[in-house]
Amino acid sequence: MGPRGIFTSIYLTSLLINCIQTGYSLDTSDHFLTPMPHVLGMSVKPDTALRDRSCSGCEGSPLGMSCCGLCAFWENPRSQSGVHHHGWEGQCNARQVAGLLSNLKEQGIDLEGFQPQELFDQIKGRTLWLIGDSQTNYWFLAVECFLKDYLVQEKRGQPTNSTEANMWLIKFIEELPHRGSRKAEPRPSMCTSYQENTRVCFVRIHKVEEAAHPVLRVLKRTVPNFHRDIAIVNAGLHYGVGDPGYRWSMEYFAKFVREHRQELATIVWKDTPPQHFDFENGYYWWFDDSKGGTAGGPKSEKCRALTQEELGSEEILAGGWFNQVAFEVMRASRVSVFNAYNHTLPLWDFHLKDKDCTHFCNPSAYELWTYLLKEHLKHLQPWLPA
Ligand SMILES: *[C@@H]1O[C@H](CO)[C@@H](O)[C@H](O)[C@H]1NC(C)=O
Ligand SMILES: *[C@@H]1O[C@H](CO)[C@@H](O)[C@H](O)[C@H]1NC(C)=O
């Protein structure tokens, strides 16, 4: 390469870096700038301006810290090491994300071309309730950010107009001594408002029965037109593998849904996603303390892919221990099941730092679930109340 070639390539490289930083990609055939795929843009540059706007006016909000932080994945507390905070740690490796997008394309999933409007059209005029544990919380943050073009205000709000109901929808402390959750802050439910009376809300629960009581019980008597809404529910990871209480919880919930179906939002049960710890089948803790990280025992050094043997086992083929139980109970009660388990299994390399082989970086699993949920809702659409 002559000197001219070198200069040209330096010029092009710096132009490309510049484009990546600003969220645009260079279309080399036409020499004009096209916006970067919506989903890939999230892996490149945190939207600090949006985050700041979402935080202004939050002082004194009953939501406390949960009032603000739209699209601020890098502030995800689990993605930080201790109190230090080095840039954007909730972010996936952009090259890995590019690989994921192309693998998905081969499977007919165009996550790269996925437009916010495709999801918005499925939920327009309704509230999409995401009810679940921290895994669902992280997913909520991804859905909320994905729809940012439709925001009516950046500040999050409370789920209902009733102070009493909002109090019922706060998740307080959970008594699980091994897991450090005693120290956790109360977690209020929160909603983000979009155009055309559309909302996406997150309600925190840890146990399945909490989805029935208090959550659905309170929502059905407080939220106007709740029967028109859509509620995606999951709980599983706050039970140890093998806990007989999980089936009892599921059956309690299923019974509640059967008895109140007419007054409830359309209920969709979401799979419990696979984990990728070093322990058997990638799980983290067992009900009887027999294995895994339960009692503060050693954590795995890094996340791993499930072995061929595990992948071929009856339990993993059925969706892992939690889903084996949950899918059976939900299907028997004719509750719609949204199953992204198989699609999430290969994503062992997209977890957060700090040996967390449960939660995922952005954009990866959560954005994929959003895409798959859009597909699921498309099929449900004819059955949703007008
Ligand atoms: C709260 O009250 C306002 C004013 O009456 C109403 O427009 C809005 O729909 C209510 N929101 C909810 C979630 O009930
Ligand atoms: C996952 O895929 C395998 C192979 O196609 C299938 O047999 C299995 O039922 C699927 N499991 C779940 C939980 O969807």
Side-chain angles (χ1 to χ4, degrees):
M1 199 189 291
R4 210 172 139 198
I6 291 171
F7 282 125
T8 310
S9 86
I10 290 172
Y11 170 75
L12 279 177
T13 308
S14 63
L15 187 60
L16 187 63
I17 288 170
N18 200 26
C19 289
I20 287 173
Q21 282 169 350
T22 53
Y24 283 82
S25 61
L26 185 65
D27 182 331
T28 43
S29 56
D30 298 308
H31 296 282
F32 67 80
L33 298 172
T34 51
M36 185 166 272
H38 211 86
V39 169
L40 193 55
M42 291 163 68
S43 81
V44 173
K45 190 169 172 283
D47 195 337
T48 44
L50 186 53
R51 177 244 189 226
D52 290 346
R53 269 182 281 139
S54 84
C55 294
S56 68
C58 272
E59 215 154 299
S61 161
L63 290 180
M65 278 168 54
S66 309
C67 171
C68 91
L70 219 97
C71 294
F73 302 111
W74 72 99
E75 291 175 333
N76 202 326
R78 286 297 285 273
S79 66
Q80 299 162 25
S81 318
V83 291
H84 301 294
H85 189 304
H86 319 277
W88 197 20
E89 298 191 14
Q91 165 192 33
C92 303
N93 175 309
R95 211 166 274 145
Q96 268 176 286
V97 174
L100 175 64
L101 294 180
S102 96
N103 288 344
L104 289 172
K105 206 168 260 177
E106 280 165 26
Q107 299 165 43
I109 297 177
D110 186 11
L111 189 56
E112 186 177 330
F114 183 29
Q115 294 299 317
Q117 182 171 2
E118 299 173 62
L119 175 64
F120 186 73
D121 284 348
Q122 301 305 323
I123 63 171
K124 195 158 53 184
R126 308 178 195 269
T127 297
L128 174 68
W129 298 90
L130 299 179
I131 302 168
D133 57 24
S134 60
Q135 193 71 281
T136 304
N137 190 353
Y138 285 16
W139 182 28
F140 162 77
L141 299 176
V143 173
E144 176 190 50
C145 183
F146 185 66
L147 292 173
K148 64 186 177 185
D149 294 347
Y150 294 91
L151 283 170
V152 293
Q153 63 166 47
E154 290 89 355
K155 214 174 80 165
R156 296 187 185 123
Q158 302 227 82
T160 82
N161 283 337
S162 150
T163 305
E164 191 212 344
N166 293 334
M167 289 291 283
W168 274 110
L169 298 172
I170 297 175
K171 173 65 190 167
F172 289 100
I173 297 151
E174 177 190 37
E175 297 294 329
L176 273 181
H178 303 311
R179 312 193 72 221
S181 44
R182 277 173 192 280
K183 293 190 210 113
E185 296 272 314
R187 296 178 175 95
S189 299
M190 53 188 156
C191 293
T192 307
S193 298
Y194 302 94
Q195 292 162 19
E196 304 193 49
N197 267 319
T198 310
R199 295 192 300 168
V200 179
C201 301
F202 170 65
V203 185
R204 176 88 173 215
I205 58 164
H206 290 163
K207 300 289 186 184
V208 185
E209 60 269 27
E210 295 172 288
H213 174 85
V215 178
L216 292 178
R217 190 179 61 88
V218 165
L219 294 179
K220 84 178 165 63
R221 70 164 187 233
T222 323
V223 174
N225 292 316
F226 184 56
H227 72 284
R228 293 190 67 250
D229 291 349
I230 303 161
I232 318 291
V233 187
N234 169 265
L237 295 176
H238 284 250
Y239 295 79
V241 170
D243 184 348
Y246 190 53
R247 182 176 288 273
W248 305 333
S249 284
M250 288 301 306
E251 280 168 357
Y252 174 86
F253 175 72
K255 182 162 179 282
F256 180 89
V257 172
R258 287 196 308 270
E259 285 172 358
H260 300 276
R261 216 185 284 264
Q262 296 308 313
E263 306 151 84
L264 295 179
T266 298
I267 307 292
V268 176
W269 182 265
K270 158 113 182 39
D271 68 282
T272 294
Q275 295 163 290
H276 298 97
F277 288 99
D278 224 4
F279 310 117
E280 191 183 308
N281 283 339
Y283 302 138
Y284 184 53
W285 68 303
W286 276 259
F287 177 63
D288 61 1
D289 277 10
S290 60
K291 291 170 237 175
T294 311
K299 281 187 173 181
S300 44
E301 279 309 308
K302 59 188 180 70
C303 310
R304 66 167 179 102
L306 266 57
T307 64
Q308 283 308 319
E309 195 183 333
E310 286 168 329
L311 291 171
S313 70
E314 210 176 301
E315 186 166 305
I316 295 301
L317 282 171
W321 188 83
F322 300 100
N323 295 322
Q324 223 173 357
V325 175
F327 289 176
E328 184 198 318
V329 177
M330 287 295 104
R331 285 181 177 139
S333 287
R334 291 185 298 111
V335 173
S336 167
V337 170
F338 168 46
N339 172 13
Y341 180 86
N342 271 351
H343 284 106
T344 317
L345 262 180
L347 304 187
W348 67 273
D349 216 8
F350 289 86
H351 285 289
L352 293 176
K353 294 187 176 180
D354 285 339
K355 305 175 188 174
D356 175 345
C357 304
T358 299
H359 305 99
F360 296 94
C361 58
N362 297 89
S364 65
Y366 303 126
E367 288 70 22
L368 176 57
W369 301 351
T370 307
Y371 177 97
L372 297 171
L373 177 68
K374 175 265 297 181
E375 293 287 301
H376 192 88
L377 294 180
K378 226 194 248 178
H379 292 120
L380 271 186
Q381 205 57 237
W383 285 276
L384 296 180

